[in-house]
Amino acid sequence: MCAAAGIEVETEKVWQYAEELNLPRIAFINKMDRENANFDNVVNSLRTRFGTSVVPFQLPIGSEQTFKGIIDLVSMKAYSPAPMDIPEDMLQKAQLARQVLLEVAAESDDDLLAKYLEGEELSEEEVRLGLVKGISQATVFPVLCGSAYKNIGIAAALDVIVNYLPSPENRVVKGCHPQTKAEGERKRADPFAALVFKTTADPFVGRLSYIRVFSGQLKPDSMIFNASKEKMERIGHIYTLRGKHQEPMTVAYAGDIVVVAKMQETGTGDSLCDKDKPILFEAIAFPKPMFTMALEAKNKGDEDKIGNALHRLMDEDHTFRMIKNTETHQLLVYGMGELHLDIMAERMKRKFGVDVRLSQPKVPYRETIRGSVKVEGKHKKQSGGHGQYGHVWLQLDPLAPGGNFEFVDSIFGGSVPRQYIPAVEKGVRDALTGGILAGYPMVDVKVTLCDGSYHAVDSSEMAFKVASAMALKKGVMQAKPALLEPICNVEVLVPEVNMGDVIGDLNGKRGKIQGMEPIGKGMGIVRAQAPMAELFTYAMNLRSITQGRGSFDMSFSHYEEVPQRMAEQIITGAKKDKVEEE
């Protein structure tokens, strides 16, 4: 972390991930030579946020422009980076800090604690053993410092990693049997097991799978078992990456990260292993993308390329999704934010030669009626030979929300012949689907065919279909038509200090707060309902309010009537768009 900025959002997130996995961790405070660098402030904020188990292993000599070295509190030696004497004015501070370190080391081991409490002096080796034990149990978290730019403290940090962190030899990775689900584990010397943690799409090489080897060995031109798909997979060449440069490998051991091209069955999150001793590791949990944009090709000939490019990108990035909305006829892409989708659009152009445009998605509004009306529809046309004649009386009534559409035939006495009644229903359905107010589907309407008339020669199915549509369109405008908008359930995970701001923001988006509750560790959940139209950019708003600490989940709930003023604007806009399209 930065000596000037201190704890930032990603610091908290990474710490939380490590805490969930009970992993050892070290904090390295970098940029001690930077203006406003303050080691003590950062350490205090770390201890306040993550607990008193956060303990300095080193102290800086000087700060900002005067930073010139570090003091190792275990050995009580100073480096800059060459060995040097501890400055006289820092000796007392270093001794006090070392006393805290000794207490932490003693608390990690019962024998050391007993010896320490009896007033005996702990040797440097005993202090090291106590600290190694505490760090491996994730009860002690060392704090180091330095300047990468000036190369001060870097070698010491590497020494701490080697001397204090648990050896990879002792690393145990847990999983389960693919069929029996019995718990299993892998150590370095066990049969081959690995996890595919990333996939990229290369336009020349094809799919590249990044593999972390947990145990055993992986060799080129071999067959391995994909425990996630329960299929055999052939491994071709194995590479290690140096930036973009690929270097061939003859064998990969536990701990190696390698790249394999053109794996047919394998995707991100799949477990690879020896078929005779299968194991399935926990799949990677990806955050749910909540930022939505509509995507379209800039050039007409690129529509076919878009599908292939999007599927390739989704294959390599599981926080990127694509859905074809059948109602609005838009291709919607989902990502973690505006920048994420902008990068994806740039990659489509660079990798696959597809130029696309991103825009705000259309809201799938609905139309309905609030009143009842009886209306006549007559279609009469004479143009030589057979004419056209259809005549109906329709009763329109509103249904309860969710009722969708109901058609009732109440004709008696044959005023509308039986063979024309399906045409009446078809005309009504087509008119409802196309919408009356603003071109959005009409729902929650009951249509009753109650009367009509026909002509023995001129009547036809088409004539009754047209007459029914005419009647419906005329009747809807007399039956208090209304515009409905989709309302979503929103569940926001947010720091408690930001709860008030989040609630205020949701109220400003016409949201209704359903409740809130603390869930511990300074976090809380806000539950609300808000219109979908207000939530397309909510991911960016929430990130701004919480500095990236908040997240949310959203699901469709129901439809509600749009406020009158907004409805008028939407209807006007829809009519304008229709005129432009024509």
Side-chain angles (χ1 to χ4, degrees):
M1 57 193 63
C2 175
I7 295 177
E8 298 183 83
V9 175
E10 293 306 314
T11 313
E12 293 183 9
K13 287 185 176 181
V14 172
W15 191 282
Q16 183 184 341
Y17 297 149
E19 194 168 44
E20 289 170 1
L21 298 167
N22 198 34
L23 291 176
R25 63 215 83 136
I26 289 175
F28 180 81
I29 301 175
N30 190 27
K31 304 181 184 177
M32 282 303 305
D33 57 324
R34 183 176 166 179
E35 189 178 348
N36 298 322
N38 193 314
F39 178 81
D40 293 334
N41 278 358
V42 179
V43 170
N44 290 336
S45 63
L46 281 168
R47 290 171 68 85
T48 301
R49 181 68 183 84
F50 304 126
T52 54
S53 297
V54 177
V55 184
F57 267 40
Q58 301 168 352
L59 290 181
I61 301 173
S63 184
E64 302 182 24
Q65 296 297 322
T66 62
F67 177 67
K68 60 182 179 180
I70 59 167
I71 300 171
D72 183 337
L73 296 176
V74 178
S75 64
M76 284 301 283
K77 294 178 182 176
Y79 302 91
S80 178
M84 62 181 285
D85 294 329
I86 298 175
E88 286 293 329
D89 61 337
M90 291 201 65
L91 197 55
Q92 186 178 0
K93 182 179 180 180
Q95 288 170 343
L96 290 172
R98 188 174 194 272
Q99 198 60 39
V100 174
L101 195 62
L102 291 176
E103 290 176 10
V104 170
E107 288 172 357
S108 301
D109 186 276
D110 292 339
D111 294 336
L112 291 179
L113 183 60
K115 187 176 179 179
Y116 180 76
L117 292 175
E118 289 170 5
E120 294 184 43
E121 187 75 25
L122 298 181
S123 69
E124 188 177 317
E125 186 58 33
E126 286 176 324
V127 173
R128 289 183 188 277
L129 290 173
L131 292 173
V132 166
K133 191 171 183 180
I135 291 169
S136 66
Q137 295 171 347
T139 57
V140 177
F141 308 111
V143 180
L144 315 178
C145 63
S147 166
Y149 179 72
K150 289 189 174 181
N151 195 25
I152 299 175
I154 306 305
L158 294 173
D159 288 340
V160 171
I161 289 170
V162 172
N163 296 329
Y164 290 93
L165 288 183
S167 167
E169 291 280 354
N170 305 324
R171 170 81 165 157
V172 176
V173 185
K174 296 186 177 180
C176 66
H177 193 281
Q179 277 90 34
T180 64
K181 303 303 177 186
E183 285 190 9
E185 58 182 39
R186 284 290 186 275
K187 294 182 181 177
R188 183 176 180 275
D190 288 337
F192 171 72
L195 180 75
V196 180
F197 66 90
K198 180 180 177 180
T199 306
T200 59
D202 189 294
F204 305 106
V205 182
R207 180 194 285 181
L208 295 174
S209 301
Y210 291 68
I211 302 171
R212 164 85 182 271
V213 183
F214 289 132
S215 63
Q217 300 178 8
L218 178 64
K219 295 182 179 180
D221 300 317
S222 58
M223 296 294 291
I224 57 170
F225 183 61
N226 184 326
S228 304
K229 306 276 175 54
E230 297 193 6
K231 292 183 178 180
M232 295 300 294
E233 182 77 80
R234 185 183 179 281
I235 298 292
H237 295 293
I238 301 174
Y239 301 96
T240 184
L241 288 185
R242 308 280 185 197
K244 289 187 176 182
H245 181 61
Q246 300 173 3
E247 295 183 3
M249 296 180 70
T250 55
V251 61
Y253 298 98
D256 283 342
I257 289 176
V258 297
V259 173
V260 177
K262 298 179 181 177
M263 295 181 75
Q264 299 299 315
E265 307 290 345
T266 302
T268 303
D270 285 356
S271 301
L272 306 175
C273 55
D274 190 315
K275 190 176 183 182
D276 295 331
K277 197 173 181 183
I279 189 168
L280 185 65
F281 299 115
E282 185 179 352
I284 300 169
F286 292 97
K288 189 176 179 182
M290 281 294 171
F291 186 81
T292 316
M293 294 287 277
L295 181 144
E296 60 180 334
K298 283 186 179 178
N299 305 314
K300 284 192 175 181
D302 286 345
E303 282 89 352
D304 295 336
K305 294 182 186 176
I306 284 182
N308 177 51
L310 287 174
H311 282 100
R312 297 275 289 275
L313 290 174
M314 284 193 295
D315 193 32
E316 64 178 67
D317 185 350
H318 285 229
T319 60
F320 176 69
R321 294 182 191 168
M322 173 268 293
I323 294 174
K324 178 72 176 177
N325 191 313
T326 53
E327 288 187 28
T328 61
H329 306 292
Q330 285 185 310
L331 189 63
L332 302 181
V333 286
Y334 295 77
M336 302 307 296
E338 186 176 25
L339 180 61
H340 185 192
L341 295 185
D342 285 343
I343 290 171
M344 285 303 193
E346 186 274 330
R347 288 170 79 180
M348 287 180 73
K349 183 177 181 180
R350 174 168 47 86
K351 278 189 169 186
F352 307 103
V354 182
D355 212 356
V356 296
R357 184 188 296 112
L358 294 170
S359 59
Q360 189 84 351
K362 293 178 183 176
V363 180
Y365 292 106
R366 296 280 191 274
E367 300 175 12
T368 191
I369 56 173
R370 296 300 187 209
S372 298
V373 67
K374 188 174 182 180
V375 65
E376 179 186 22
K378 182 181 284 188
H379 177 60
K380 186 176 181 182
K381 195 172 182 183
Q382 196 70 39
S383 56
H386 284 303
Q388 295 180 33
Y389 183 87
H391 177 217
V392 294
W393 279 90
L394 302 178
Q395 173 72 34
L396 308 185
D397 298 293
L399 290 174
N404 202 7
F405 170 65
E406 184 181 337
F407 180 78
V408 178
D409 169 20
S410 63
I411 289 293
F412 292 99
S415 55
V416 176
R418 289 276 141 213
Q419 67 266 30
Y420 297 138
I421 289 175
V424 173
E425 183 177 353
K426 181 72 166 57
V428 168
R429 283 186 181 274
D430 288 351
L432 289 174
T433 303
I436 313 299
L437 278 176
Y440 297 104
M442 183 158 280
V443 296
D444 305 333
V445 179
K446 179 182 177 182
V447 178
T448 305
L449 174 60
C450 45
D451 202 358
S453 62
Y454 71 101
H455 189 280
V457 177
D458 292 343
S459 286
S460 65
E461 289 187 0
M462 180 56 70
F464 273 98
K465 185 177 173 183
V466 173
S468 304
M470 290 169 58
L472 185 84
K473 289 175 181 178
K474 185 166 65 173
V476 163
M477 300 311 294
Q478 299 172 17
K480 300 176 185 175
L483 195 66
L484 304 176
E485 65 179 342
I487 304 296
C488 294
N489 292 320
V490 186
E491 192 170 279
V492 189
L493 178 66
V494 61
E496 289 184 351
V497 294
N498 299 121
M499 265 193 169
D501 295 331
V502 168
I503 290 169
D505 184 62
L506 285 169
N507 284 331
K509 296 181 182 301
R510 300 188 286 127
K512 297 174 184 175
I513 306 302
Q514 307 289 307
M516 63 196 88
E517 60 180 282
I519 58 172
K521 295 184 180 180
M523 301 295 285
I525 289 179
V526 177
R527 294 184 177 88
Q529 289 187 337
M532 182 187 288
E534 303 281 355
L535 296 174
F536 285 130
T537 60
Y538 187 60
M540 290 193 301
N541 297 354
L542 183 64
R543 186 176 293 115
S544 175
I545 293 170
T546 65
Q547 291 79 52
R549 293 177 176 86
S551 61
F552 76 104
D553 198 2
M554 182 175 77
S555 60
F556 171 76
S557 174
H558 62 284
Y559 274 87
E560 278 185 12
E561 189 168 339
V562 180
Q564 184 63 34
R565 184 177 295 179
M566 291 189 65
E568 289 172 1
Q569 293 175 353
I570 294 165
I571 292 167
T572 303
K575 288 178 179 177
K576 184 180 177 183
D577 291 344
K578 190 174 182 181
V579 170
E580 288 176 356
E581 287 176 8
E582 290 174 352

